[in-house]
Amino acid sequence: MQDQDIEYFLDEGLIDGVIRPLKQGKEASVHLCRANPRTTGHELAALKFYHPLDRRDFRDETLYRAGEFIKERRVRVALEKKTRFGREVRGGLWVYREWETLCKLEGTKVPSPDPIASTDDAILMTYIGDFDVAAPRLHEFRPSSPDELEGLWIQLLGAIEHMLFHDVVHADLSPYNVLVWEGKLTLIDVPQAVDPKLNSHAQDFLTRDVQRLGSWLDRAGFHQPWEAIAGDLWTGWLHADLVPDDLR
């Protein structure tokens, strides 16, 4: 399947080849590609392949998909009964949700990769880094001063606010899903993102996102009332008072 996906992006004139792997994960792998600037506007791109179904370490999607309705009864039943067809649908939904969320965030002030193209099993997106080095994840980053830590938190808070402003909660945000490049942060890995208007667990996800980031910042020496911050964010969204500072 991976070879077919590569052929698709080659045939569409979006990439000229795969350079090297960047990350191997439980559910997907990411590869650096030489992009076609005439069709993508970029010299390099990141290609995320979701593993074959029998290799994916699926989490329980029940909480993440709460509130969503699938119109086709056959698909709903297959998902509920966890048939092979249902598992295939579930795998496709995981890819589709990430693509859908990246498209929704494109052009907003949320720092996330821009989507370029997708198949049922892969997503081509903009790459963060340069030819020699990919952007490190936040958990690998070592801030040099308290001011730098505070600056990172200001960026993180702004990103979360902007996502929430556009009715998106990441729902799996942690220092492992944030890239750092030239002082700027980028949020990645959004297949499980939820719409707080639909998902009854969105507030819990938001609180967990903030607390996970807060735990890393605490260990680095920067402390804030993380749970209270999450509560304020949710209250602001709930009462339609949440407007990020740079949009006021």
Side-chain angles (χ1 to χ4, degrees), residues 35-227:
N36 182 342
R38 290 173 297 176
T39 54
T40 69
H42 302 278
E43 300 284 345
L44 300 170
L47 184 53
K48 182 173 183 176
F49 292 108
Y50 277 80
H51 297 317
L53 295 172
D54 58 357
R55 288 181 52 202
R56 294 192 202 174
D57 183 17
F58 277 118
R59 70 195 74 189
D60 182 4
E61 283 191 307
T62 306
L63 298 180
Y64 297 95
R65 301 281 73 89
E68 296 185 2
F69 180 73
I70 296 176
K71 294 181 180 179
E72 190 174 341
R73 183 178 180 279
R74 172 172 173 260
V75 175
R76 292 202 312 273
V77 171
L79 286 170
E80 291 167 2
K81 293 187 175 181
K82 299 181 180 179
T83 64
R84 177 169 180 79
F85 172 64
R87 183 173 170 80
E88 291 174 356
V89 170
R90 186 183 178 196
L93 282 175
W94 206 244
V95 182
Y96 172 74
R97 295 306 184 196
E98 178 150 37
W99 172 258
E100 183 182 54
T101 302
L102 290 174
C103 290
K104 185 174 184 178
L105 297 178
E106 185 180 15
T108 72
K109 291 182 178 292
V110 178
S112 58
D114 290 334
I116 298 174
S118 70
T119 66
D120 289 341
D121 300 288
I123 298 175
L124 186 69
M125 64 189 81
T126 51
Y127 166 71
I128 312 300
D130 60 27
F131 184 87
D132 297 314
V133 181
R137 285 166 172 72
L138 183 61
H139 79 96
E140 304 168 308
F141 187 69
R142 298 294 176 265
S144 59
S145 68
D147 287 345
E148 188 172 19
L149 270 175
E150 183 177 8
L152 291 174
W153 168 240
I154 290 171
Q155 287 191 62
L156 288 168
L157 179 59
I160 295 170
E161 284 181 330
H162 278 286
M163 288 185 83
L164 200 51
F165 183 73
H166 292 284
D167 297 321
V168 178
V169 174
H170 188 288
D172 193 31
L173 192 56
S174 77
Y176 291 85
N177 291 333
V178 179
L179 303 180
V180 187
W181 187 252
E182 297 180 343
K184 295 183 179 180
L185 303 183
T186 301
L187 277 53
I188 60 171
D189 293 339
V190 292
Q192 70 297 309
V194 302
D195 184 337
K197 300 193 307 298
L198 302 175
N199 192 296
S200 59
H201 305 285
Q203 183 178 6
D204 293 335
F205 289 142
L206 176 66
T207 300
R208 187 179 67 181
D209 285 351
V210 173
Q211 289 180 326
R212 281 179 172 175
L213 295 171
S215 293
W216 181 83
L217 289 162
D218 279 336
R219 291 193 296 272
F222 182 79
H223 308 287
Q224 293 288 312
W226 308 115
E227 188 170 353

